[in-house]
Amino acid sequence: MKRGHLFLVGFMGSGKSTVAGVVAERLGVPCVDLDQLIEAEQGASIAEVFAASGEVAFRALETKALLDLEGSEPSVVACGGGIVLLPENRAALKRMGTVVLLQVSAAEAVARIGDVSTRPLLAGPSGTLAATTLLQAREGLYRSVADIVIDTSGRSPDEVADVLLAQMEDSP
Ligand code: S3P
């Protein structure tokens, strides 16, 4: 297994933040959530950052949060669902550690999220329609960075963590 960070990527609602906490605890390493870092630094929620500054500005903050982790002690990192959009982020993920893709269907993602107003890109008349379109557009990008792919449907965060840790042991 490559050294460095363990990055969890995947669509909103795939369970990245919850699973990252479980895996970090089991490995005895810090857990980092990029959205939470941005919120703490900005003193605002992600929805507020989008509303005040727009998506492009948010993406710049996201890239900075990611690159700031370079060289820091190995941690489990929950990435925002859009981390794979920028080529520099995809290169950084591959360079800085192991990337795990948590897969989820659009319908299950929306059901898990519940209040989609917390996710500016899904807020609107149909969260499921927005999720389906976005997920389709991103699927190839998620796969392009993933060292390990895990289907989370019907699995609890603990079960996903079990599968993840087992697959890491099996990885070269
Ligand atoms: C986004 C996902 C969100 C958050 C922002 C944009 C995306 O993170 O970064 O709303 O573009 O998919 P989660 O995946 O943790 O919900």
Side-chain angles (χ1 to χ4, degrees), residues 42-169:
Q42 296 298 306
S45 70
I46 298 296
E48 287 166 346
V49 173
F50 265 74
S53 314
E55 181 173 354
V56 172
F58 169 77
R59 297 295 170 207
L61 295 171
E62 189 173 46
T63 298
K64 182 178 180 307
L66 173 64
L67 294 180
D68 280 351
L69 294 177
E70 193 144 30
S72 69
E73 67 172 311
S75 59
V76 181
V77 185
C79 299
I83 197 81
V84 294
L85 294 175
L86 296 180
E88 59 264 44
N89 294 355
R90 298 198 293 275
L93 289 168
K94 297 215 69 85
R95 180 174 76 237
M96 289 164 60
T98 301
V99 185
V100 178
L101 166 58
L102 301 187
Q103 285 187 311
V104 66
S105 70
E108 192 161 346
V110 170
R112 286 186 196 166
I113 291 167
D115 177 9
V116 291
S117 72
T118 59
R119 306 302 201 283
L121 297 179
L122 299 184
S126 171
T128 307
L129 186 59
T132 305
T133 310
L134 261 187
L135 187 52
Q136 262 172 16
R138 289 181 179 176
E139 219 148 302
L141 297 178
Y142 288 134
R143 286 191 163 275
S144 75
V145 294
D147 297 298
I148 293 173
V149 180
I150 298 175
D151 181 5
T152 68
S153 54
R155 286 180 165 143
S156 70
D158 267 317
E159 288 167 340
V160 173
D162 288 340
V163 176
L164 193 163
L165 291 168
Q167 290 212 24
M168 277 175 60
E169 274 180 21

